[in-house]
């Protein structure tokens, strides 16, 4: 069962957008939302993913390339600096089932949808009020 | 802001996009870095033809293609390519110019 589409728009990025902002894309399947963030050059040891209440933050520290002998920068379309991405999570997500996977510079955050808990409510018999 | 919101076009086919890059120069050579997030080595193809260097990559979610005009191609000695964490680094080294001694004529 798919959640309503408007929940997707609640998964907003709170960081200011600038020109070379890492590109992220949100997709949805039947049991989870997936946030794909493109972070070329990022490695596991330089990533920190944290959940604080309903705020999910991704801290990337990308040190300048190991080979410092790159020389003189002539032109760049890449902005591979340190940055933090923040997402405010909508309701309807399981706070426990969140996973982060980094492969080939692509970070995938998997946010499982919460299965509504079923609970039976007992019916109490109250004494007859007319007595 | 990205003009295209989706990586898929109206028919559901993956769009081909141009990857972002940056260029360094050191000595007589260059280092070109191309961002290919989500791409692994088997999905990548780098070709040099004429004065052009072409990078093509096809991943599960993204398809990238871009051609770069090589500076003074006739002087290129070799191209060394390495891919790590979705970042392609191409080292282009130029042939050292041949030395030529000019004979000085006496008048």
């Amino acid at each position: 069962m798919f959640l309503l589409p408007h929940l997707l728009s609640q998964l907003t990025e709170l960081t200011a957008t600038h020109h070379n902002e890492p590109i992220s894309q949100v997709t949805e399947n039947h049991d989870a939302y997936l946030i794909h963030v493109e972070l070329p050059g990022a490695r596991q040891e330089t990533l920190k993913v944290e959940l604080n209440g309903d705020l999910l933050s991704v801290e990337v520290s990308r040190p300048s390339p190991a080979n410092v002998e790159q020389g003189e920068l002539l032109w760049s379309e890449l902005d591979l600096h340190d940055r933090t991405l923040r997402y405010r999570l909508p309701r309807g997500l399981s706070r426990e089932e969140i996973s982060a996977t980094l492969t080939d510079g692509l970070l995938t955050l998997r946010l499982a949808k919460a299965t509504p808990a079923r609970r039976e409510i007992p019916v109490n018999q109250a004494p007859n009020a007319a007595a | 802001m990205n003009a295209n919101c989706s990586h898929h076009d109206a028919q559901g086919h993956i769009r081909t996009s141009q990857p972002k890059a940056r260029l360094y120069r050191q000595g007589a050579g260059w280092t070109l870095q191309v961002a290919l997030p989500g791409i692994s080595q088997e999905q990548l193809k780098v070709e040099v033809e004429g004065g052009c260097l072409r990078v093509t990559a096809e991943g599960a979610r993204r398809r990238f293609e871009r051609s770069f005009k090589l500076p003074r191609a006739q002087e290129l000695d070799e191209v060394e390519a390495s891919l790590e964490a979705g970042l392609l680094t191409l080292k282009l080294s130029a042939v050292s110019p041949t030395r030529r001694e000019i004979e000085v004529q006496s008048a």
Side-chain angles (χ1 to χ4, degrees):
Chain A
M1 190 179 83
F2 284 79
L3 290 183
L4 296 172
H6 75 259
L7 275 178
L8 271 176
S9 64
Q10 292 178 35
L11 210 68
T12 52
E13 280 186 48
L14 298 180
T15 47
T17 17
H18 24 93
H19 174 48
N20 279 316
E21 181 68 28
I23 296 177
S24 51
Q25 205 192 27
V26 183
T27 58
E28 178 188 6
N29 60 34
H30 69 282
D31 63 356
Y33 288 106
L34 298 172
I35 307 179
H36 310 273
V37 190
E38 299 187 343
L39 301 168
R43 301 209 252 165
Q44 193 186 343
E45 51 276 13
T46 58
L47 269 193
K48 189 163 99 163
V49 182
E50 206 174 60
L51 180 64
N52 201 344
D54 63 353
L55 203 60
L56 180 68
S57 62
V58 178
E59 267 179 57
V60 196
S61 33
R62 281 177 290 194
S64 12
N67 24 6
V68 182
E69 83 278 359
Q70 301 287 29
E72 176 199 351
L73 182 67
L74 297 183
W75 55 261
S76 174
E77 299 156 347
L78 296 177
D79 183 13
L80 302 188
H81 299 126
D82 299 359
R83 80 168 12 103
T84 304
L85 302 166
R86 292 184 190 87
Y87 304 89
R88 189 173 298 286
L89 305 184
R91 277 176 259 140
L93 294 183
S94 160
R95 296 294 188 259
E96 317 304 315
E97 283 182 67
I98 299 184
S99 70
T101 312
L102 179 67
T103 309
D104 296 322
L106 182 69
L107 173 69
T108 303
L109 302 163
R110 185 178 180 276
L111 316 168
K113 298 178 185 175
T115 39
R118 280 195 68 162
R119 205 163 54 110
E120 193 165 319
I121 318 260
V123 179
N124 298 316
Q125 179 84 39
N128 197 326
Chain B
M1 285 283 272
N2 247 349
N4 301 322
C5 294
S6 164
H7 295 314
H8 294 79
D9 63 17
Q11 284 74 44
H13 300 130
I14 299 180
R15 280 185 228 269
T16 302
S17 38
Q18 285 207 352
K20 293 187 176 162
R22 62 185 176 191
L23 183 69
Y24 295 87
R25 176 173 58 199
Q26 64 274 100
W30 298 268
T31 299
L32 176 67
Q33 285 191 319
V34 186
L36 303 167
I39 299 295
S40 58
Q41 201 172 331
E42 317 79 65
Q43 298 169 326
L44 172 65
K45 191 161 69 175
V46 180
E47 301 164 294
V48 177
E49 192 181 343
C52 262
L53 182 136
R54 180 169 38 244
V55 176
T56 320
E58 180 141 6
R61 299 180 56 250
R62 294 289 297 271
R63 186 182 293 153
F64 297 102
E65 190 173 319
R66 189 163 179 186
S67 292
F68 301 89
K69 186 154 165 43
L70 295 171
R72 299 198 294 279
Q74 68 278 7
E75 287 179 20
L76 262 199
D77 193 11
E78 61 176 53
V79 180
E80 199 184 288
S82 64
L83 178 67
E84 191 181 348
L87 190 62
L88 172 67
T89 301
L90 299 158
K91 285 195 164 65
L92 318 172
S93 37
V95 182
S96 356
T98 50
R99 285 197 62 171
R100 212 165 51 107
E101 194 162 28
I102 315 277
E103 211 180 306
V104 178
Q105 308 275 17
S106 47

